[in-house]
Amino acid sequence: PAMTILEDRLAIQDVMTNYAAGVDDRDMAQYRRCFADDVEIVGFGGDAVVGADRWVAEVVEKLAAFGQTQHMLGPQLVQVDGDGASVRTDVQALHYLIDDPESTFTLWATYLTNMRREGAVWKIARHELVRRGTRLQKG
């Protein structure tokens, strides 16, 4: 049976929550499940990255500089159109520096995410980070 709009919205919210939790818990299998195989990632520094496996490997590298992280997500603005959806999520991400645990790096940003339905599951097809600001707080 087709999902209702409410079921779609909750499923999409769960994808974004799993995205943040996967990173913060360092559960890369959970994080990987959020993405379509051919995902395009934009705005995280450098060129666009195409391919979920390639992106997850890059995230593992990026996380090596940090100890604990916490990605706080605002409510999603979701527009569902058939088997596609566009999602806007504000994020505040706190990163503790591994070589200086008293210091923190905070990112304020907006995720602009396009999702598509694959079978009964929503996956991230394109994910863009729009930076609002950053601050390094020395401990």
Side-chain angles (χ1 to χ4, degrees):
M3 293 175 109
T4 66
I5 187 69
L6 186 57
E7 289 170 323
D8 280 329
R9 287 184 63 102
L10 288 170
I12 286 165
Q13 176 181 306
D14 282 352
V15 173
M16 296 307 299
T17 304
N18 276 301
Y19 170 100
V23 169
D24 292 337
D25 295 343
R26 302 301 192 264
D27 184 337
M28 290 298 117
Q30 176 181 353
Y31 186 68
R32 170 63 179 86
R33 284 192 296 273
C34 298
F35 299 101
D37 291 344
D38 62 348
V39 68
E40 180 186 13
I41 307 288
V42 180
F44 285 80
D47 295 335
V49 176
V50 177
D53 293 334
R54 190 170 152 222
W55 173 243
V56 171
E58 197 166 301
V59 168
V60 169
E61 265 180 46
K62 289 176 188 293
L63 288 173
F66 303 111
Q68 294 296 314
T69 57
Q70 185 177 46
H71 290 69
M72 299 294 292
L73 303 181
Q76 285 81 39
L77 277 175
V78 178
Q79 289 184 304
V80 177
D81 184 10
D83 288 334
S86 61
V87 188
R88 181 194 185 281
T89 311
D90 287 315
V91 58
Q92 180 177 319
L94 187 65
H95 305 72
Y96 287 91
L97 302 183
I98 203 160
D99 56 359
D100 184 7
E102 298 298 310
S103 294
T104 55
F105 174 75
T106 305
L107 166 70
W108 294 270
T110 302
Y111 292 137
L112 300 178
T113 308
N114 295 335
M115 294 200 195
R116 71 168 174 256
R117 196 190 318 261
E118 294 188 354
V121 180
W122 286 97
K123 299 279 188 176
I124 298 172
R126 185 180 188 278
H127 188 57
E128 180 175 355
L129 178 74
V130 179
R131 291 169 189 266
R132 304 294 182 193
T134 57
R135 177 163 298 140
L136 178 62
Q137 182 93 28
K138 288 296 203 175

